[in-house]
Amino acid sequence: MNNERPLTARMVQRRDDSTITLNVYDVVDHPFHYALGKWLSCGIHHSGIQVDGREFAFTLEGIVITEPHRIPRCKLTHRILLTRNATDAMVQGALTKLQREFTPATYDPLLKNCNHFSDAFCARIGTKHVPPWVNRAPTMASMLGAHLATSFFQLSSVEAGPTTMKGPSTWFGFGSGLGLG
């Protein structure tokens, strides 16, 4: 008989190393996505950083925490392993710095979106970057001109939706959510 106690959520949360995954989604209800986007190989994507059982993303609401793979209007298409050896201090340090840089007021669907956040997170913890194809559509659209492109891509801005975890959270020592307020 095994004398080891089963792992509880609290025990798993406090372990030394965390697995970090980049989750890439297709935005499924944008008209550009299935028509011209697929033909040009530049679909509209949302991305988030999964750290164990939480997913961090940047939306019109700022940095949000959601349940992994439950992003409204999106279909998970790629999971890219970034590291299996991230410490809580690494993740907390990255989020603390990024919360000052990625605020609701700075969100821009072309120049500072969820994919830019994911890439900045990767840089902060020292892993490989988000593949360039993930942000290809906004990059190409920004070349068309800011006004036209921003109006068009505003349709694709992924909102946090009902899966956003608001309120108190003690994950990684943040006493009130991410300390974003």
Side-chain angles (χ1 to χ4, degrees), residues 32-33 98 120 162:
F32 183 78
H33 170 72
L98 292 172

Side-chain angles (χ1 to χ4, degrees), residues 65-118:
I65 307 171
T66 62
E67 294 177 49
H69 316 150
R70 293 189 169 273
I71 308 299
R73 301 172 21 209
C74 294
K75 177 184 175 188
L76 180 68
T77 56
H78 295 82
R79 296 184 72 219
I80 301 169
L81 177 66
L82 299 173
T83 183
R84 293 184 193 277
N85 302 349
T87 65
D88 287 352
M90 288 170 61
V91 174
Q92 183 177 357
L95 289 171
T96 299
K97 291 176 182 173
L98 292 172
Q99 71 184 8
R100 291 184 220 119
E101 191 178 330
F102 288 85
T103 66
T106 64
Y107 183 89
D108 182 286
L110 301 177
L111 304 174
K112 198 167 195 177
N113 61 37
C114 56
N115 304 318
H116 294 105
F117 166 78
S118 294

Side-chain angles (χ1 to χ4, degrees), residues 25-30 44-48 55 57-62 64 66 70-75 107 109 113-115 153-161 163-164:
Y25 303 84
D26 281 350
V27 178
V28 296
D29 67 352
H30 194 284
I44 297 175
H45 304 287
H46 169 74
S47 65
E55 187 164 340
F58 182 55
T59 72
L60 295 167
E61 296 178 16
V64 296
T66 62
R70 293 189 169 273
I71 308 299
R73 301 172 21 209
C74 294
K75 177 184 175 188
Y107 183 89
N113 61 37
C114 56
N115 304 318
F153 277 88
Q154 194 65 39
L155 294 172
S156 70
S157 299
V158 176
E159 297 175 14
T163 59
T164 301

Side-chain angles (χ1 to χ4, degrees), residues 110 141-154:
L110 301 177
S142 66
M143 291 179 207
L144 294 174
H147 179 69
L148 171 66
T150 300
S151 297
F152 185 72
F153 277 88
Q154 194 65 39

